[in-house]
Amino acid sequence: MCGRYSLFTDENSREILQIVQEVGSRHPAMKTGEIFPTNTAPILRQEGQEIHADAAIWGFPPFGQKGGVLINARAETAFEKIRFRESLLSRRCVVPSTGFYEWSRDASRQKYRFLLPNSRALYMAGIYTEYKGEKRFVILTTEGNASVRDIHPRMPVVLRTDQIEEWIKNPEKTAALLQGRQPALERRPA
């Protein structure tokens, strides 16, 4: 599960800074720093033939069920779920970040930030929908690999920079990217 992630612009990531500036000029309510569910944050999505940065709210509404917003979708079952299938087929997005957070399951509840080694950006596979005139997104998760598993059994589907366009524009590659091997991540106490 990915319940919070980071979007810091002070980490010398030109990629992230450029996305934040582009979206922030059109959406002043967009959040940076530690991103929580229901915050407005940047996503990358297809518009016409191009990929554009846009703002969306993190979390699909519960659609008549009790509970809060849905912030994650399991990659293994997303095609089977009615609430995710259409978005997975036609509204894939990428969630730019500088890492994501998980907490240890022991009594200390230590908070860790996971990042890509030697990179200032971490891109997560997502899907989005429109609900009452607002764009909303969820992050796709998969089984945690060895770099995450001892802290949490799940992790976001992480995309390399060269996979962004393929994820957003090529529906034939969706299943393969969801099932792909996840990169080893670096963890830092937060």
Side-chain angles (χ1 to χ4, degrees):
M1 171 136 167
C2 176
R4 289 194 206 153
Y5 66 93
S6 62
L7 187 66
F8 295 122
T9 57
D10 59 349
E11 294 186 339
N12 299 320
S13 174
R14 286 192 176 110
E15 295 169 67
I16 297 297
L17 184 58
Q18 184 177 16
I19 292 167
V20 167
Q21 287 174 338
E22 180 182 340
V23 176
S25 66
R26 296 186 318 268
H27 301 277
M30 186 192 69
K31 180 125 173 17
T32 59
E34 188 169 346
I35 307 299
F36 292 77
T38 71
N39 286 159
T40 299
I43 60 169
L44 304 176
R45 66 178 188 87
Q46 186 169 353
E47 190 173 298
Q49 293 303 313
E50 301 298 318
I51 295 175
H52 290 281
D54 201 355
I57 297 169
W58 185 15
F60 280 14
F63 299 118
Q65 295 179 349
K66 293 184 178 186
V69 296
L70 303 168
I71 60 172
N72 295 316
R74 286 179 170 260
E76 303 89 342
T77 60
F79 278 113
E80 301 163 14
K81 305 285 183 177
I82 291 170
R83 70 175 46 124
F84 302 129
R85 183 179 325 131
E86 183 60 35
S87 291
L88 193 54
L89 292 171
S90 60
R91 291 184 299 275
R92 290 172 308 284
C93 66
V94 170
V95 181
S97 78
T98 53
F100 65 92
Y101 297 103
E102 290 298 349
W103 287 257
S104 65
R105 292 176 280 174
D106 61 16
S108 73
R109 296 292 296 158
Q110 172 66 50
K111 181 179 179 182
Y112 291 98
R113 184 166 153 231
F114 289 87
L115 359 132
L116 272 174
N118 305 313
S119 179
R120 305 229 188 263
L122 184 140
Y123 295 100
M124 300 176 285
I127 54 177
Y128 72 96
T129 193
E130 296 236 1
Y131 181 75
K132 295 185 177 180
E134 298 174 321
K135 285 184 187 66
R136 294 177 160 265
F137 72 94
V138 298
I139 295 170
L140 290 151
T141 66
T142 190
E143 186 176 316
N145 64 18
S147 64
V148 176
R149 192 176 306 124
D150 64 318
I151 301 299
H152 200 279
R154 310 260 330 143
M155 68 183 287
V157 174
V158 176
L159 299 170
R160 296 185 319 263
T161 305
D162 65 332
Q163 294 174 316
I164 291 173
E165 185 169 353
E166 190 172 50
W167 169 254
I168 292 173
K169 291 184 169 184
N170 191 341
E172 289 81 32
K173 299 287 185 176
T174 302
L177 288 168
L178 289 176
Q179 297 166 4
R181 185 173 174 212
Q182 294 299 299
L185 300 176
E186 176 185 333
R187 113 179 37 154
R188 296 181 185 165

